Amino acid sequence: MARKKEFDEKALLDKAVSLFWRKGYHATSAQDLVDELGISRSSLYDTYTDKRNLFMESLKSYQRSNTNALLSLAEHSTDAGQTLRQIFHNIIQESAEDELAKGCFMVNTAVELSGHDEGISELVAQNNKLVEDALAKLVKKGQVDGQFSTGSTPRAFARFLFSSISGLRVAARSGSDRKVLSDIVEVTLSALQPLPVS
């Protein structure tokens, strides 16, 4: 009979996300994991096999809680312009409340590991596509409503927005203050405004 786990896997993953998010993959040691998660090394490896598998599960957990919140916001939007502003506002607010300036776990992972680990690169790429798809749907709603320019396709605008979101997170992690971040958002959103009718 399988031995019952002596820990709450969700709580453990939350701690793992926090640790990997702060330190990154390579700088996190096996001992860091044991100390932070509060379980024995044998229990850790019985459950996740190795550090990489735990990192993958942590990244998936982050995606479920963070990316899915953005997807839900976009999916249920009744005002595309307001929703986009809310998405950017949320990022600025999270950054202001983040005393450790961790940035975005997914963006950090892309910078650290994409191109070096195929499985992790695929997970990051899948996450990015989900966000881009949601942004494209949002832009299309805004174009139909007349809120956004039709000068580019929803997909092209979505890629621009995704790039701006990633850049905003990097700027926040680099220590940019709220005024700098707000300027980035305002210029980004102004690019979607329809041209005035002459």
Side-chain angles (χ1 to χ4, degrees):
M1 186 164 94
R3 190 171 46 144
K4 186 178 185 299
K5 288 188 175 64
E6 298 173 353
F7 53 85
D8 178 337
E9 281 196 66
K10 184 183 183 308
L12 183 143
L13 275 179
D14 287 345
K15 291 178 181 178
V17 167
S18 178
L19 178 60
F20 282 127
W21 194 353
R22 290 196 317 270
K23 297 193 71 170
Y25 177 76
H26 290 301
T28 300
S29 68
Q31 191 59 50
D32 289 334
L33 290 167
V34 169
D35 292 344
E36 182 90 6
L37 276 50
I39 64 172
S40 69
R41 195 171 296 209
S42 60
S43 292
L44 182 63
Y45 289 119
D46 282 347
T47 304
Y48 295 104
T49 309
D50 57 25
K51 183 176 87 167
R52 181 184 177 280
N53 282 338
L54 175 56
F55 184 83
M56 288 283 283
E57 291 305 314
S58 299
L59 203 56
K60 290 175 185 175
S61 177
Y62 176 87
Q63 181 185 54
R64 285 192 295 269
S65 60
N66 291 66
T67 302
N68 287 358
L70 184 151
L71 300 183
S72 178
L73 197 61
E75 183 67 29
H76 297 100
S77 171
T78 56
D79 184 326
Q82 184 57 40
T83 300
L84 264 186
R85 187 169 289 280
Q86 183 65 48
I87 288 170
F88 279 104
H89 171 78
N90 290 350
I91 293 169
I92 292 176
Q93 190 61 34
E94 288 165 14
S95 301
E97 295 169 358
D98 180 10
E99 295 179 1
L100 298 177
K102 299 188 302 294
C104 170
F105 188 25
M106 198 66 70
V107 172
N108 297 351
T109 299
V111 171
E112 182 183 9
L113 296 172
S114 284
H116 303 287
D117 185 302
E118 185 177 350
I120 291 173
S121 294
E122 286 179 2
L123 182 56
V124 170
Q126 289 167 4
N127 177 81
N128 293 352
K129 186 173 187 310
L130 284 173
V131 174
E132 186 184 294
D133 288 347
L135 291 171
K137 287 181 183 176
L138 197 56
V139 170
K140 188 172 183 179
K141 287 180 184 179
Q143 287 178 329
V144 169
D145 292 344
Q147 292 190 64
F148 299 152
S149 166
T150 55
S152 292
T153 65
R155 180 64 57 182
F157 272 133
R159 288 171 177 157
F160 167 69
L161 290 168
F162 181 82
S163 177
S164 297
I165 287 170
S166 299
L168 188 69
R169 291 190 181 279
V170 171
R173 190 176 188 195
S174 301
S176 297
D177 62 24
R178 186 182 285 268
K179 174 65 168 65
V180 171
L181 302 180
S182 295
D183 284 347
I184 293 169
V185 170
E186 291 308 316
V187 173
T188 298
L189 294 179
S190 71
L192 273 73
Q193 297 306 304
L195 294 174
V197 178
S198 55

